[in-house]
């Protein structure tokens, strides 16, 4: 018989004849009563060890009865007797003073909060699942506990080199008066070149020495901000954003035809071929939509940089879809909140949601080995050796 196997006689004694789910797992079932009994037993052992240590140090101390406490567990609220000592020097580790819940319940609260549930929804969910009444202030204290983790996450050092960095902003409404890796979360009232300069400067201060390719949307001044901090970085503007912007000038009945003409530009085999296609686009559409042609020519260097690479790299960098997909997942948990009362409240939810998302990021980009080989040829082995 295995050493850690509980004897059948003991199990029969613990069950006490209980056979149904209600008798075993119900609000007053065996598991709940056993949880309380085990906690009380462990606390008594803690106190005995504490008194023994004090005795060895020559400090007279002894037991002094107990106090009742309601402990919130995954089996529901359980009343326990917490032993006391006469000198009041005993500090329980299993259930610290003023603690009224076990760690597993904290994780349940954080998991529910990370899905975008409101405090009231969390209270209702816990009450329905475990018969546990948790106050709103307690839920806030549990979720506030991640603030220090957020601060540490923001301060963590980054890798010296990143092959591709996608940059984008997510709008979260707040009640203002007035392996993929997420590198950080920053809060700003308006997205602009100065804001991105601050973000990139912080990344540099946290250890990033080089960025090979920076993928971003068409925000004015964005490429200049990137170049100021990481001058060697190749800036690739998102083709999806550019096409969307271009189609905005055409009426609905012409957009499909214009989209087909634009597609010939960014699917060309080379930058030279794309330039020819742009000339053809201008001949067909330039008179009617000069702003579209002007926009493509003004941002040509940032729009066509991806054409210097083979298809494996092109698929990774031609669009900011990677971060747009992440933003979509974050919006799913923020949309039910409406407006946040503060920046901390928004960051708290977004950080917990990011933790959930990152757990699923365990696969490399498709054809990543081929892409790295091609990037090494283009940028040189020295710039990739620490990436």
């Amino acid at each position: 018989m295995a050493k850690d196997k509980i004897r059948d006689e003991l199990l029969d004694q613990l069950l006490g004849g209980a056979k149904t789910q209600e008798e075993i797992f119900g609000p007053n079932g065996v598991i709940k009563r056993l949880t309380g009994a085990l906690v009380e037993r462990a606390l008594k052992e803690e106190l005995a060890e504490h008194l023994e240590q004090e005795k060895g140090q020559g400090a007279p101390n002894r037991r002094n009865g107990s106090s009742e406490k309601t402990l919130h567990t995954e089996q529901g609220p359980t009343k326990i007797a917490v032993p006391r000592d006469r000198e009041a020097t005993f500090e329980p580790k299993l259930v610290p003073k003023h603690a009224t819940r076990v760690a597993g319940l904290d994780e349940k609260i954080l998991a529910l909060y990370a899905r975008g549930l409101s405090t009231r929804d969390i209270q209702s969910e816990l009450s329905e699942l475990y018969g546990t009444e948790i106050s709103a202030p307690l839920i806030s204290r549990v979720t506030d506990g991640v603030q220090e983790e957020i601060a540490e996450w923001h301060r963590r050092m980054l890798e010296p080199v990143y092959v591709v960095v996608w940059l984008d902003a997510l709008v979260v409404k707040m009640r203002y008066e007035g392996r993929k890796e997420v590198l950080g979360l920053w809060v700003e009232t308006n997205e602009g070149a100065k804001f991105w300069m601050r973000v990139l400067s912080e990344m540099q201060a946290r250890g990033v020495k080089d960025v090979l390719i920076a993928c971003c949307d068409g925000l004015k001044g964005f490429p200049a901000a990137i170049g100021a901090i990481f001058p060697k970085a190749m800036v690739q503007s998102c083709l999806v954003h550019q096409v969307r912007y271009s189609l905005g000038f055409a009426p609905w009945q012409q957009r499909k035809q214009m989209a087909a003409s634009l597609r010939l530009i960014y699917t060309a085999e080379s930058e030279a071929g794309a330039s020819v296609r742009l000339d053809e686009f201008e001949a067909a559409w330039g008179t009617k939509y000069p702003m579209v042609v002007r926009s493509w020519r003004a941002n040509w260097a940032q729009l066509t940089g991806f054409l210097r690479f083979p298809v494996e790299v092109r698929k990774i960098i031609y669009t900011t879809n990677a971060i747009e997909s992440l933003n979509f997942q974050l919006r799913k948990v923020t949309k039910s909140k409406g407006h946040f009362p503060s920046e901390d409240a928004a960051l708290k939810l977004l950080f917990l949601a990011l933790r959930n998302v990152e757990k699923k990021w365990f696969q490399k980009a498709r054809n990543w080995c081929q892409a790295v080989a091609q990037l090494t040829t283009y940028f040189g082995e020295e710039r990739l050796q620490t990436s």
Side-chain angles (χ1 to χ4, degrees), residues 127-378:
S127 177
E128 184 177 338
L129 287 175
Y130 308 120
T132 299
E133 297 297 329
I134 302 293
S135 67
L138 189 146
I139 292 174
S140 294
R141 287 197 298 273
V142 172
T143 56
D144 284 344
V146 303
Q147 294 294 353
E148 181 57 34
E149 189 176 349
I150 294 173
E152 287 294 327
W153 183 74
H154 270 295
R155 291 193 295 264
R156 80 192 192 286
M157 294 301 290
L158 301 176
E159 297 294 330
V161 178
Y162 285 91
V163 175
V164 182
V165 173
W166 291 274
L167 303 169
D168 195 15
L170 170 70
V171 177
V172 178
K173 297 178 182 178
M174 299 183 191
R175 289 197 294 270
Y176 277 113
E177 302 300 329
R179 201 199 54 220
K180 292 184 285 186
E181 177 186 3
V182 179
L183 304 187
L185 281 170
W186 293 266
V187 177
E188 186 58 78
T189 53
N190 294 295
E191 181 188 9
K194 290 184 178 179
F195 161 70
W196 284 113
M197 183 85 78
R198 175 169 67 85
V199 169
L200 294 165
S201 296
E202 183 181 317
M203 286 170 52
Q204 187 181 59
R206 289 167 55 201
V208 180
K209 297 178 181 179
D210 194 8
V211 171
L212 276 62
I213 304 168
C215 302
C216 59
D217 58 25
L219 180 69
K220 187 177 180 181
F222 213 158
I226 296 169
I229 307 301
F230 298 108
K232 294 182 180 180
M234 187 197 97
V235 178
Q236 174 62 51
S237 291
C238 177
L239 267 298
V240 173
H241 280 80
Q242 180 66 21
V243 171
R244 192 180 299 153
Y245 169 81
S246 301
L247 295 178
F249 288 94
W252 282 104
Q253 59 269 29
Q254 293 184 350
R255 289 188 181 183
K256 186 174 182 180
Q257 186 180 356
M258 179 185 282
S261 298
L262 290 171
R263 192 173 189 280
L264 295 175
I265 300 173
Y266 60 84
T267 57
E269 293 185 0
S270 64
E271 185 176 348
S275 181
V276 171
R277 295 300 188 184
L278 179 59
D279 289 340
E280 294 173 352
F281 179 88
E282 182 174 15
W285 299 90
T287 302
K288 197 170 185 179
Y289 304 110
M291 285 294 294
V292 175
V293 177
R294 198 174 304 147
S295 174
W296 278 82
R297 293 204 181 280
N299 299 289
W300 188 250
Q302 288 80 44
L303 290 170
T304 58
F306 80 107
L307 291 173
R308 307 169 197 172
F309 301 97
V311 66
E312 287 80 8
V313 177
R314 292 187 189 189
K315 288 180 178 180
I316 297 173
I317 68 174
Y318 84 98
T319 176
T320 57
N321 275 354
I323 199 167
E324 293 286 354
S325 174
L326 172 61
N327 284 345
F328 173 76
Q329 294 179 74
L330 297 180
R331 287 190 188 96
K332 287 197 295 186
V333 300
T334 60
K335 65 180 181 180
S336 61
K337 290 290 186 179
H339 292 73
F340 288 85
S342 66
E343 292 180 1
D344 285 344
L347 283 172
K348 186 166 60 176
L349 176 58
L350 290 170
F351 176 73
L352 290 171
L354 279 176
R355 285 202 318 190
N356 288 343
V357 173
E358 285 190 315
K359 290 176 183 176
K360 303 174 184 176
W361 288 352
F362 55 86
Q363 290 184 334
K364 290 184 178 180
R366 186 175 297 178
N367 298 320
W368 181 243
C369 292
Q370 296 95 314
V372 169
Q374 294 156 6
L375 289 165
T376 302
T377 301
Y378 184 86

